[in-house]
Amino acid sequence: MTEAAPKKEQRRKFQAIRGTRDLLPPDTALWNHVEETAHAVFTTFGFGEIRPPVFEATELFARAVGGDTDIVGKEMYTFEDHDFGELSSLASTITYRNPDIQNSHSVSSYVEQIHAFLGAYSEGLAQNKIPRTPDNERALENLRMHATRIPILAGDWTGGIEHAKTRLELQISGVREALRVIQLGDVLSLRPEATASVCRAYIEHNMQQLPQPQKLYYIGPMFRRERPQKGRYRQFYQVGAEVLENVKPDATRDAAKELTKDAITDAEVIQMVMTFFDKLKLPGVQLEINSIGHAADNCRRGYVALLKSELEKVKDKLGADSQRRIETNPFRVLDSKLEHEQPIIATLPKIADHLCDDCKTQYAAVKRELELRGVFYTENWRLVRGLDYYMRTTFEITAQGLGSQNAVCGGGRYDGLVELLGGPPTKGIGFAIGEDRLILSLQEAKDAALAAGKQPPFVYIAWMGANAYAAAVHAAKDLRAAGVRVELPPVEQKFGKALERASKLGAQYALILGDNEVAEGTWTLKTLADGAQQKFTEPHLLDFLKKL
Ligand code: AMP
């Protein structure tokens, strides 16, 4: 007898969450190739790999990425991390209850639950298992107060039942509010980017005491709740690197030397990305660079003030976003992609004309160093970053075949960031490559993808007969040890059938092993594309395949 059909809910088909996707073979071979190339190229530039966790304190990202940015404001996956499952469900039970003033049992059990919550909550606070924040302390006080008042008010109907109900409702909403603000654990977020984590790790592990600069790279998933489209996902992958260098107390003594040194670091970092793209044969790579000066009155701050006053004059002609940015962050207006704003933006003052002498010198040095390294670039004065600690060099790289989401890499210098996160004065420059887009672009250019996703030779062993089977197992072991991909069918097949299956799987060769071959000690290798056959002894066969 068959079992009853499962209920509808049980038959629910699960799908990957919107904005996330499965990376599957054969595509994953290309992903692996990209990542192996990153390991190889970055190692030649003296970078070491760092693997930070994928979640961190929300506060870390708020400070590093900026509380006002879309990333932090709207796009982070944030959750509270605590060990108080029961307390948390008690809080929601209390929140959803509506005690009935005319039913004394209903009121008293409500108050009992609040007391139960208070008991466990105060204990958690006392043991420092629940964070002792001002909000938490205040909520605790308020809850205690409501728990005392509710039974008194519930029994006091002097102004009439309706009046008593209203007073009780006020207390209940007070309870809900207190429970809403209570934080039982740390507020964490899935990382939307990794620079903040790398800086946190630099500080946490006192890396300023290691040889400077520290050159670190990472590869891994990032999470942003963006509107998904081609080249934009909610879980996406970045390949990035950071160079962090402790600022020595005497660094200002030879300012000119420091500027050149930083310019060389910037150029090396850019050269490294370009070498990586070159190795991958990424099509249509274009590098744009800019200098955004530094946060000083005689440099970017002065320029932004001027920009703001110029923007005020054309405010009416700008869209709502740009109008808002005139107040919040005029620099970011330059980012606008709105068609009708382009001619207006083109007439705005350019930062290159307002850089201080040091920033000018440094920018010229970066360009000189790039030229020395044979790295082609174009200048784009509209390449900006919205946060104060970003300074001087910024760059962006675009590639072919990506439509509107054509940026594959963004980078820049951020000398103030480590200090902002509580570390010592530290210089920093880094970049992040969007790996999903990099792969898309390689796949669009089929030749590049083919070259990049090059696979080892693939041999299907067509065996027949008990003696041949033992030889086949042995051959599979040897061939695999030599790096050859081998498919060893678990059942005996007729040769015709075996060859058919070999082609279906995409094998290039079939190794034919019958009892005759085993007795002779010579094996037949058939090239599936043209049907050509060659006879080999085993060592010769290995040599032949290794050479491919
Ligand atoms: P950002 O960290 O925003 O500077 O981004 C660096 C690079 O990561 C971009 O140039 C993109 O290639 C890639 N990237 C950023 N956001 C996404 C996303 N939601 N989906 C795919 N790639 C992204």
Side-chain angles (χ1 to χ4, degrees), residues 71 192-193 224 226 231-234 236 238 385 407-410 432-434 436-437:
I71 293 182
E193 56 106 64
R224 296 181 196 173
E226 292 193 276
R232 195 198 272 162
Y233 311 98
R234 291 183 165 185
F236 60 100
Q238 283 187 337
R385 302 264 152 168
V408 282
C409 174
I433 296 166
D436 306 72
R437 293 188 195 170

Side-chain angles (χ1 to χ4, degrees), residues 121-405:
Y121 180 56
S122 340
E123 201 176 306
L125 276 177
Q127 294 173 353
N128 285 329
K129 288 183 180 161
I130 295 175
R132 240 176 217 292
T133 62
D135 275 354
N136 276 356
E137 304 270 4
R138 215 172 304 123
L140 182 69
E141 274 316 300
N142 287 343
L143 269 184
R144 279 203 182 113
M145 178 190 75
H146 295 302
T148 320
R149 279 193 194 161
I150 288 172
I152 302 170
L153 290 174
D156 174 10
W157 296 9
T158 38
I161 180 77
E162 287 313 315
H163 186 57
K165 265 189 188 166
T166 313
R167 285 190 305 178
L168 185 66
E169 270 160 22
L170 267 178
Q171 295 297 316
I172 293 169
S173 56
V175 169
R176 288 185 183 141
E177 178 56 21
L179 292 173
R180 193 185 61 79
V181 299
I182 280 173
Q183 220 186 292
L184 293 178
D186 301 319
V187 182
L188 309 180
S189 292
L190 296 185
R191 62 181 183 194
E193 56 106 64
T195 303
S197 303
V198 176
C199 291
R200 196 250 324 120
Y202 181 87
I203 300 168
E204 186 170 334
H205 303 289
N206 285 318
M207 290 193 205
Q208 76 276 10
Q209 284 165 9
L210 302 174
Q212 301 294 296
Q214 280 292 297
K215 302 196 273 189
L216 301 165
Y217 74 93
Y218 58 83
I219 301 175
M222 309 294 155
F223 307 86
R224 296 181 196 173
R225 196 184 283 105
E226 292 193 276
R227 202 164 46 78
Q229 63 183 82
K230 185 185 170 195
R232 195 198 272 162
Y233 311 98
R234 291 183 165 185
Q235 174 174 340
F236 60 100
Y237 293 77
Q238 283 187 337
V239 176
E242 321 287 346
V243 179
L244 297 168
E245 180 172 17
N246 188 231
V247 178
K248 295 180 193 64
D250 60 357
T252 45
R253 237 185 276 153
D254 196 345
K257 208 163 134 194
E258 282 295 311
L259 288 174
T260 317
K261 204 179 84 187
D262 293 350
I264 292 174
T265 305
D266 295 1
E268 283 249 321
V269 165
I270 295 174
Q271 183 189 15
M272 180 167 91
V273 188
M274 297 301 270
T275 307
F276 174 51
F277 287 166
D278 207 40
K279 272 260 152 65
L280 291 173
K281 302 195 167 51
L282 184 68
V285 175
Q286 291 201 344
L287 163 68
E288 292 185 333
I289 62 166
N290 189 25
S291 172
I292 54 167
H294 76 299
D297 288 343
N298 66 341
C299 197
R300 184 168 67 227
R301 234 178 256 148
Y303 166 75
V304 171
L306 172 71
L307 186 65
K308 187 171 179 193
S309 71
E310 290 301 310
L311 285 168
E312 302 280 7
K313 294 182 195 160
V314 292
K315 187 170 177 176
D316 300 344
K317 297 184 195 139
L318 298 172
D321 278 348
S322 293
Q323 289 197 4
R324 193 167 28 83
R325 283 183 173 155
I326 297 178
E327 296 312 319
T328 57
N329 199 340
F331 210 27
R332 293 281 316 281
V333 175
L334 304 182
D335 262 350
S336 161
K337 305 269 186 301
L338 279 187
E339 193 88 29
H340 82 272
E341 292 184 349
Q342 303 309 310
I344 307 167
I345 293 173
T347 63
L348 293 169
K350 301 187 173 39
I351 187 152
D353 302 325
H354 301 272
L355 292 177
C356 70
D357 288 345
D358 279 359
C359 287
K360 249 187 224 156
T361 306
Q362 210 258 356
Y363 189 33
V366 169
K367 290 189 272 186
R368 198 174 58 234
E369 290 297 331
L370 286 175
E371 281 152 29
L372 187 63
R373 286 165 176 72
V375 175
F376 295 104
Y377 60 85
T378 50
E379 291 179 71
N380 177 358
W381 66 280
R382 289 177 51 182
L383 215 55
V384 299
R385 302 264 152 168
L387 297 172
D388 260 7
Y389 60 79
Y390 277 109
M391 61 186 291
R392 297 187 176 147
T393 311
T394 56
F395 59 98
E396 187 171 282
I397 302 171
T398 52
Q400 210 170 286
L402 294 171
S404 61
Q405 307 295 322

